[in-house]
């Protein structure tokens, strides 16, 4: 019966892949604008700068306003 022995291997360090800034910038701008729009709807909609009439938006984001510390009552 033959015996097999595991041979030691040389571990090479992992090198992270480099991503150019030009590939990240459009996504960063997109998500930044998206976050500003969400912040507007949670924090300022149904006030003096209301874009949507009625109470629908206020009711949808009511709990988020309280969670983030925006007054709404």
């Amino acid at each position: 019966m033959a015996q097999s022995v595991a041979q030691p291997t040389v571990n090479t360090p992992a090198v992270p892949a480099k991503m150019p800034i030009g590939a990240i910038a459009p996504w960063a701008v997109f998500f930044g604008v998206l976050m500003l729009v969400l912040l507007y709807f949670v924090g300022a909609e149904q006030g003096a700068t209301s874009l949507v009439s009625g109470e629908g938006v206020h009711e949808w984001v009511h709990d988020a306003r309280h969670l983030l510390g925006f007054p709404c009552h």
Side-chain angles (χ1 to χ4, degrees):
M1 184 161 177
Q3 297 282 332
S4 63
V5 177
Q7 297 296 325
T9 59
V10 177
N11 291 334
T12 57
V15 178
K18 294 184 180 182
M19 184 176 284
I21 294 294
I24 298 173
W27 289 103
V29 170
F30 171 72
F31 284 113
V33 169
L34 182 64
M35 290 299 114
L36 287 175
V37 168
L38 289 174
L39 183 64
Y40 167 77
F41 276 107
V42 170
E45 183 62 29
Q46 297 303 112
T49 61
S50 179
L51 296 176
V52 181
S53 63
E55 292 288 323
V57 173
H58 177 81
E59 294 302 323
W60 278 98
V61 299
H62 185 87
D63 292 338
R65 285 180 184 217
H66 289 298
L67 181 66
L68 294 174
F70 288 103
C72 64
H73 295 233

